[in-house]
Amino acid sequence: MTAIKHALQRDIFTPNDERLLSIVNVCKAGKKKRNCFLCATVTTERPVQVNVVKVKKSDKGDFYKRQTAWALRDLAVVDAKDAVKENPEFDLHFDKVYKWVASSTVEKNTFISCIWKLNQRYLRKKIDFINVSSQLLEESVPSGENQSVAGGDEEAVDEYQELNAREEQDIEIMMEGCEYAISNAEAFAEKLSRELQVLDGANIQSIMASEKQVNILMKLLDEALKEVDQIEMKLSSYEEMLQSVKEQMDQISESNHLIHLSNTNNVKLLSEIEFLVNHMDLAKGHIKALQEGDLTSSRGIEACTNAADALLQCMNVALHPGHDMLHAVKEQQQRFSDLREQFARRLASHLNSVFVQQGHDQSSTLAQHSVELTLPNHHPFHRDLLRYAKLMEWLKNTDYGKYEGLTKNYMDYLSRLYEREIKDFFEVAKIKMTGTTKEGKKFATLPRKESAVKQETESLHGSSGKLTGSTSSLNKLSVQSSGNRRSQSSSLLDMGNMSASDLDVADRTKFDKIFEQVLSELEPLCLAEQDFISKFFKLQQHQSIPGTTTNEAEEMDGGTLSRSYTSGGPQTVSSEKDMIRQMMTKIFRCIEPELNNLIALGDKIDSFNSLYMLVKMSHHVWTAQNVDPASFLSTTLGNVLVTVKRNFDKCISNQMKQMDEVKISKKSKVGILPFVAEFEEFAGLAESIFKNAERRGDLDKAYIKLIRAVFVSVEKVANESQKTPRDVVMMENFHHIFATLSRLKISCLESEKKEAKQKYTDHLQSYVIYSLGQPLEKLNHFFEGVEARVAQGIREEEVSYQLAFNKQELRKVIKEYPGKEVKKGLDNLYKKVDKHLCEEENLLQVVWHSMQDEFIRQYKHFEGLIARCYPGSGITMEFTIQDILDYCSSIAQSH
């Protein structure tokens, strides 16, 4: 251990101007044993600093390194664990508790003893030593080496005294005055010793010579002491006199304090009395207004409002501590409570009477609106009631129970009134949609099955005047010949001057106007009522979406349409915005069912009406959400919009279903399929309706569904067709689809338009090749043989030497196809094509021109083979390309 101590002193502490006093070999308690040393050190410079340093041996060599140092003044507690038994464990409490295990109890005791001595010397016993033997703290540890370090070094520190600046200067002057002060220090020391002895002798002689002066000084001191005694006596007499004056001044001061305290109490009492009188005194005029004020006139309402505000201020005054214990204050508060209760009861009774009377007065005006599609105006009623808005706010703040009762009564009376008005309003709308007769009204209220039967019956008798355009008419259509379609259309046109499509447009325009009028009447009615409720019942409207509703989201136009509906059970009103919505829901609980019934009626009349309703309803929902997305109107219209969109989707699904169920006639040619014409009419109608609509997402999705269904159904019908060739059905219908899409310019169907054009072109080419066949059949077989010989390796100019393909055989085949026979074959072909094609699409000339081009292509192919395989023979066809053009032109003109 001694070697380690010297090594640590040399390598670690000497470079830092520190002396190592004690050392102990330790390891941390409870962990893997990694030995280190705790060292107690002091600095060699003043002021002395005492540290506890943790030193450990380096992993890469035999040298030691300083790891952690704590100042001894930061050590709070030294815990030796056991004062009786030997225990190598001990704790040091710095910023936290460090638990150590010494290599031996002797080392531990020596280290703790050193810490105790340093604490006694430098810290004045600031450290607490617990579980340490008292013998260890009182006596030095009998370890010579450590004791010499802990004791001898400290004494050496105490004996050493540093020279101050003046002493250093004096020594330098003495050394400069002696030449051998540095070269011969012993002689210099002897000289200084002799001079010191001379000075000591001089001092003794001086003291002995001044004895007489000392005696004189002592006599003067005795006289001064006598004078001091006399002065003290005078001061004592003065002090007695001042003491009596002090007692009198204390009495005067106490008297003044009592007077000041009394005045202060009087001022505070006056202030409290003035406060109570000023803040808890209600004028007689206000009391009279609260008890007998007129609640029917504007002046009386204003007087009652001012009196109610004054009463509320008196009741809400912030009393000082202790005021509520005063009897007069209690009486005044009771009087205010009685006045508040009496006026609240009188106000609630009056307003209930106003609600009832207004409901009766408004009912009397319903008759004049029964024939017009308008809703009664409630503005006068709102204007009259808004005079009581401040009183309602007062009632809300003072008696919430009566305020709630008035709110419930208002909702009850107004809900019945609005229910009558809105039902009558929707009855007028239904009558105008179906006709003004009683029979039309009866039709509007028929059950769904009965209504559908009646509608079909009227449609068969021509009363509805419809030929195409609705799903109901599409349901009754089957694939018929163009002649049947024309005859059926002409029979329907005999009903009047307008055509069937004109009747459809008129009916739909009429429905659109009525539906728009319904929404335009409902919107201001709901907004006005919501604004009145907010102002009258003092409820603040917020723009945030409520959290107390259940949301049902449907995908619509690339986004989501939220459908909010309240659950059947009671809900806690979390805020005033929820209260507004609940009041509006109860007052206008009939709007959503009536709108749904009207939408169902419009869908029964014509399923295409769902397009009009979708556009109008989307616009009104968009407008309402821009104003307030959480309002009752926005929520209700959003719910109804979901229903409209479902009807629209159902309309599209029904059309697709009818396409799947279509049947074709086996005896007549197909022509343009009915659902293709229906799609054209639907697209034209939809484009006109959605021209300025805010959202087209639903329509674009419907377009894609319908056009794909049309493509599939056209191919299905073409495959099943027996009378008309498949290519003709595909060609005519896809040409019609391409023409429709090109005319309407629907951006979302650009790819379908290109596909339709491609299908039309492909099937036109296929039909031309199939119908044209091989008009020069024998010549075609001849040249097929020639091409086969060339393919076998015979040179083209040597083919004429083949027996079966010589020039004589070629002339023989050519003579069988004179111009007259060719023209006759082309004329029969034209008649065949005319029989296959329908007149509606007018594709005969297009197909005939394509056949002419294909025939000329075959002709040129034969001429090229003759020129290459029979060069210089002079053999040519008996008709030319110009002859072919003339034949085709004359045939087309003759038909």
Side-chain angles (χ1 to χ4, degrees):
M1 182 63 72
T2 304
I4 294 173
K5 182 177 179 182
H6 285 298
L8 293 177
Q9 178 67 51
R10 181 185 67 248
D11 298 337
I12 295 178
F13 299 113
T14 299
N16 293 331
D17 295 331
E18 290 179 295
R19 287 202 307 278
L20 177 60
L21 302 183
S22 182
I23 184 172
V24 59
N25 185 6
V26 296
C27 63
K28 288 188 177 181
K31 292 189 177 181
K32 184 186 290 185
K33 292 190 177 181
R34 298 182 63 182
N35 292 341
C36 59
F37 297 98
L38 289 181
C39 304
T41 67
V42 296
T43 58
T44 58
E45 296 182 356
R46 301 263 180 168
V48 177
Q49 295 182 3
V50 186
N51 297 320
V52 177
V53 183
K54 177 183 174 184
V55 177
K56 73 172 186 177
K57 193 173 183 179
S58 175
D59 297 334
K60 300 178 180 180
D62 295 333
F63 62 90
Y64 299 92
K65 63 180 180 180
R66 184 181 185 131
Q67 187 175 19
T68 310
W70 300 275
L72 190 64
R73 64 175 176 270
D74 297 332
L75 181 60
V77 178
V78 175
D79 186 0
K81 295 297 183 180
D82 197 332
V84 179
K85 296 180 180 180
E86 291 187 355
N87 186 355
E89 296 182 4
F90 66 99
D91 296 346
L92 299 181
H93 295 235
F94 288 101
D95 53 344
K96 64 178 183 178
V97 179
Y98 294 90
K99 298 180 180 295
W100 305 100
V101 179
S103 59
S104 68
T105 308
V106 175
E107 289 186 12
K108 167 190 151 183
N109 293 338
T110 303
F111 184 75
I112 292 176
S113 177
C114 182
I115 295 295
W116 181 77
K117 290 180 180 180
L118 293 173
N119 175 47
Q120 296 292 322
R121 183 169 187 82
Y122 295 106
L123 302 182
R124 295 197 177 107
K125 304 180 181 180
K126 289 184 178 179
I127 303 174
D128 292 334
F129 290 82
I130 59 176
N131 297 322
V132 181
S133 172
S134 58
Q135 184 180 1
L136 181 64
L137 298 180
E138 292 174 359
E139 300 177 0
S140 298
V141 178
S143 173
E145 184 180 17
N146 286 335
Q147 186 174 5
S148 63
V149 174
D153 289 347
E154 290 177 16
E155 291 173 0
V157 171
D158 292 341
E159 291 174 358
Y160 173 78
Q161 292 185 357
E162 188 177 1
L163 296 177
N164 56 33
R166 184 173 179 179
E167 290 173 343
E168 289 180 357
Q169 186 178 3
D170 292 342
I171 290 175
E172 288 178 359
I173 293 172
M174 290 172 61
M175 293 176 70
E176 288 175 359
C178 183
E179 295 179 355
Y180 52 86
I182 298 176
S183 60
N184 192 352
E186 292 181 358
F188 179 64
E190 290 179 359
K191 178 184 178 183
L192 291 179
S193 179
R194 288 194 300 270
E195 291 179 355
L196 182 59
Q197 290 176 0
V198 173
L199 289 175
D200 287 341
N203 286 337
I204 293 171
Q205 291 177 3
S206 176
I207 291 172
M208 293 175 66
S210 60
E211 182 178 0
K212 183 178 181 181
Q213 294 179 353
V214 171
N215 293 333
I216 295 171
L217 179 61
M218 293 298 292
K219 184 184 289 186
L220 291 175
L221 290 175
D222 291 338
E223 292 176 357
L225 288 174
K226 292 179 181 178
E227 292 292 333
V228 169
D229 292 338
Q230 292 178 1
I231 292 173
E232 285 183 352
M233 291 175 64
K234 289 183 179 182
L235 289 176
S236 297
S237 63
Y238 293 157
E239 186 177 359
E240 291 177 358
M241 295 170 65
L242 289 174
Q243 184 65 30
S244 62
V245 174
K246 178 178 178 299
E247 292 176 357
Q248 294 175 6
M249 292 301 295
D250 289 342
Q251 292 177 359
I252 294 172
S253 176
E254 185 177 358
S255 177
N256 289 337
H257 174 69
L258 293 175
I259 293 171
H260 177 71
L261 184 61
S262 177
N263 290 336
T264 303
N265 290 338
N266 290 333
V267 170
K268 288 184 177 180
L269 178 61
L270 179 61
S271 174
E272 296 294 332
I273 293 173
E274 288 178 348
F275 173 80
L276 292 175
V277 171
N278 292 334
H279 291 86
M280 295 194 67
D281 186 25
L282 190 63
K284 292 183 179 180
H286 289 334
I287 295 175
K288 185 176 180 181
L290 292 173
Q291 292 176 341
E292 304 172 359
D294 183 11
L295 289 173
T296 58
S297 65
S298 298
R299 181 174 297 179
I301 293 172
E302 185 179 0
C304 290
T305 302
N306 295 333
D309 290 340
L311 176 62
L312 186 61
Q313 290 179 1
C314 291
M315 295 188 68
N316 291 339
V317 64
L319 296 177
H320 297 166
H323 282 176
D324 53 352
M325 300 177 66
L326 296 175
H327 183 69
V329 172
K330 291 181 179 179
E331 288 183 350
Q332 192 73 346
Q333 288 178 336
Q334 184 60 42
R335 185 182 182 190
F336 290 157
S337 298
D338 295 341
L339 277 173
R340 179 191 65 186
E341 182 66 25
Q342 180 182 356
F343 180 69
R345 189 165 52 247
R346 195 162 70 90
L347 177 63
S349 176
H350 176 75
L351 288 178
N352 279 326
S353 301
V354 173
F355 296 160
V356 175
Q357 184 64 33
Q358 192 65 37
H360 291 312
D361 293 344
Q362 196 76 13
S363 299
S364 62
T365 62
L366 290 177
Q368 65 185 23
H369 296 278
S370 61
V371 295
E372 300 177 4
L373 194 58
T374 57
L375 283 166
N377 188 4
H378 289 249
H379 178 68
F381 174 46
H382 293 164
R383 185 189 60 231
D384 293 341
L385 280 179
L386 281 176
R387 298 181 301 168
Y388 301 96
K390 290 185 178 180
L391 289 176
M392 282 297 294
E393 184 178 13
W394 175 86
L395 190 63
K396 180 181 178 181
N397 294 329
T398 57
D399 194 339
Y400 197 77
K402 288 186 174 58
Y403 171 82
E404 279 189 324
L406 275 176
T407 304
K408 184 176 182 301
N409 291 338
Y410 177 83
M411 289 190 294
D412 291 341
Y413 292 130
L414 267 293
S415 62
R416 290 196 291 267
L417 173 62
Y418 276 120
E419 188 171 359
R420 292 196 301 270
E421 292 177 355
I422 290 171
K423 285 188 176 181
D424 291 344
F425 172 73
F426 275 95
E427 278 302 315
V428 174
K430 292 174 184 176
I431 291 173
K432 287 183 178 293
M433 284 182 182
T434 57
T436 56
T437 62
K438 291 183 179 180
E439 183 181 356
K441 183 175 180 180
K442 181 179 179 182
F443 165 71
T445 57
L446 284 174
R448 186 172 185 85
K449 287 186 178 180
E450 193 174 336
S451 175
V453 172
K454 185 174 181 67
Q455 183 182 358
E456 289 185 7
T457 305
E458 289 182 358
S459 178
L460 289 174
H461 285 82
S463 60
S464 64
K466 294 182 183 145
L467 177 63
T468 59
S470 67
T471 307
S472 58
S473 61
L474 179 63
N475 296 348
K476 298 191 287 291
L477 282 174
S478 61
V479 178
Q480 299 172 346
S481 65
S482 59
N484 290 340
R485 287 169 61 86
R486 287 193 291 271
S487 64
Q488 194 177 48
S489 175
S490 62
S491 65
L492 288 172
L493 292 176
D494 293 338
M495 294 185 304
N497 295 328
M498 290 197 302
S499 65
S501 60
D502 291 336
L503 288 172
D504 277 348
V505 172
D507 289 343
R508 291 168 183 159
T509 304
K510 174 184 175 183
F511 174 84
D512 184 37
K513 290 180 178 179
I514 294 173
F515 193 72
E516 173 63 24
Q517 179 69 16
V518 169
L519 295 179
S520 299
E521 289 289 325
L522 287 176
E523 275 191 7
L525 181 71
C526 294
L527 292 175
E529 184 63 32
Q530 180 168 316
D531 184 60
F532 167 75
I533 288 174
S534 175
K535 292 178 179 178
F536 182 70
F537 292 98
K538 295 300 177 183
L539 302 173
Q540 298 299 322
Q541 299 186 51
H542 302 277
Q543 298 298 323
S544 60
I545 297 178
T548 58
T549 58
T550 305
N551 291 331
E552 175 187 328
E554 283 203 10
E555 184 181 353
M556 188 166 185
D557 197 22
T560 57
L561 173 68
S562 294
R563 176 172 186 171
S564 302
Y565 55 90
T566 57
S567 61
Q571 296 185 357
T572 303
V573 180
S574 60
S575 61
E576 292 181 341
K577 70 179 187 300
D578 298 322
M579 189 171 182
I580 291 178
R581 189 165 51 255
Q582 288 188 6
M583 290 179 68
M584 290 290 293
T585 302
K586 184 167 184 180
I587 291 173
F588 293 106
R589 58 175 177 263
C590 63
I591 284 185
E592 187 172 341
E594 290 294 334
L595 271 175
N596 287 332
N597 291 338
L598 188 69
I599 290 167
L601 176 63
D603 193 49
K604 289 179 184 178
I605 294 174
D606 186 350
S607 61
F608 279 8
N609 285 335
S610 60
L611 275 71
Y612 292 96
M613 291 188 287
L614 182 61
V615 172
K616 296 298 181 185
M617 190 60 69
S618 297
H619 173 71
H620 284 274
V621 168
W622 179 78
T623 304
Q625 288 183 342
N626 283 343
V627 175
D628 183 3
S631 65
F632 164 79
L633 180 65
S634 176
T635 304
T636 302
L637 294 182
N639 295 345
V640 176
L641 178 58
V642 174
T643 303
V644 172
K645 185 182 180 300
R646 286 175 178 167
N647 289 345
F648 173 75
D649 294 339
K650 184 179 178 182
C651 170
I652 301 301
S653 300
N654 287 338
Q655 291 192 46
M656 295 170 62
K657 183 179 179 181
Q658 295 306 317
M659 293 179 195
D660 294 336
E661 297 175 354
V662 69
K663 302 295 182 182
I664 62 172
S665 173
K666 297 181 180 180
K667 297 181 179 180
S668 60
K669 59 183 176 181
V670 177
I672 302 303
L673 293 169
F675 53 79
V676 174
E678 288 292 336
F679 175 77
E680 178 185 10
E681 184 175 0
F682 171 81
L685 176 64
E687 287 300 307
S688 64
I689 295 173
F690 281 79
K691 184 176 181 181
N692 298 318
E694 287 86 0
R695 54 201 303 171
R696 285 180 54 96
D698 300 305
L699 180 62
D700 291 343
K701 293 176 183 177
Y703 274 150
I704 294 173
K705 289 180 181 179
L706 279 178
I707 198 67
R708 300 315 308 178
V710 169
F711 281 12
V712 172
S713 298
V714 168
E715 293 191 9
K716 176 185 174 184
V717 171
N719 293 332
E720 295 175 355
S721 174
Q722 298 178 2
K723 183 73 176 177
T724 306
R726 178 180 184 275
D727 288 327
V728 173
V729 177
M730 298 286 285
M731 173 184 65
E732 288 182 329
N733 283 277
F734 279 108
H735 177 268
H736 192 85
I737 293 170
F738 170 71
T740 298
L741 297 180
S742 299
R743 175 172 55 84
L744 296 178
K745 298 179 180 179
I746 302 173
S747 59
C748 69
L749 297 181
E750 279 299 317
S751 60
E752 283 75 11
K753 182 179 77 172
K754 294 177 182 178
E755 183 180 353
K757 182 180 180 181
Q758 185 63 42
K759 287 181 179 291
Y760 155 69
T761 304
D762 293 344
H763 288 285
L764 171 62
Q765 187 67 24
S766 175
Y767 177 67
V768 167
I769 294 173
Y770 169 77
S771 300
L772 186 62
Q774 298 174 354
L776 309 176
E777 185 176 2
K778 293 182 179 179
L779 190 62
N780 191 72
H781 287 318
F782 181 85
F783 281 112
E784 283 180 356
V786 171
E787 290 176 339
R789 294 295 186 277
V790 173
Q792 292 173 1
I794 300 175
R795 297 173 60 186
E796 291 182 341
E797 58 269 18
E798 296 177 358
V799 172
S800 60
Y801 300 109
Q802 298 289 320
L803 182 63
F805 302 102
N806 56 26
K807 298 177 181 178
Q808 290 76 13
E809 290 294 327
L810 176 61
R811 289 191 180 96
K812 182 179 177 181
V813 173
I814 289 176
K815 285 183 179 180
E816 294 186 11
Y817 294 100
K820 183 178 180 181
E821 288 296 324
V822 172
K823 182 177 180 181
K824 181 178 178 182
L826 290 174
D827 186 63
N828 291 333
L829 179 62
Y830 186 90
K831 292 177 181 178
K832 178 182 177 183
V833 171
D834 186 31
K835 185 177 179 181
H836 286 163
L837 299 178
C838 68
E839 296 179 2
E840 297 171 349
E841 203 58 23
N842 197 21
L843 287 177
L844 178 59
Q845 295 305 320
V846 177
V847 174
W848 185 244
H849 184 71
S850 298
M851 288 184 170
Q852 171 185 296
D853 293 342
E854 177 64 22
F855 190 32
I856 291 173
R857 187 192 65 77
Q858 291 186 14
Y859 178 88
K860 290 180 179 179
H861 177 65
F862 293 153
E863 279 193 332
L865 286 175
I866 292 173
R868 294 195 303 274
C869 298
Y870 303 93
S873 65
I875 301 174
T876 59
M877 306 285 284
E878 294 191 1
F879 57 92
T880 64
I881 292 177
Q882 186 60 41
D883 292 335
I884 295 174
L885 295 173
D886 293 340
Y887 297 157
C888 292
S889 177
S890 63
I891 290 171
Q893 291 176 1
S894 65
H895 290 279

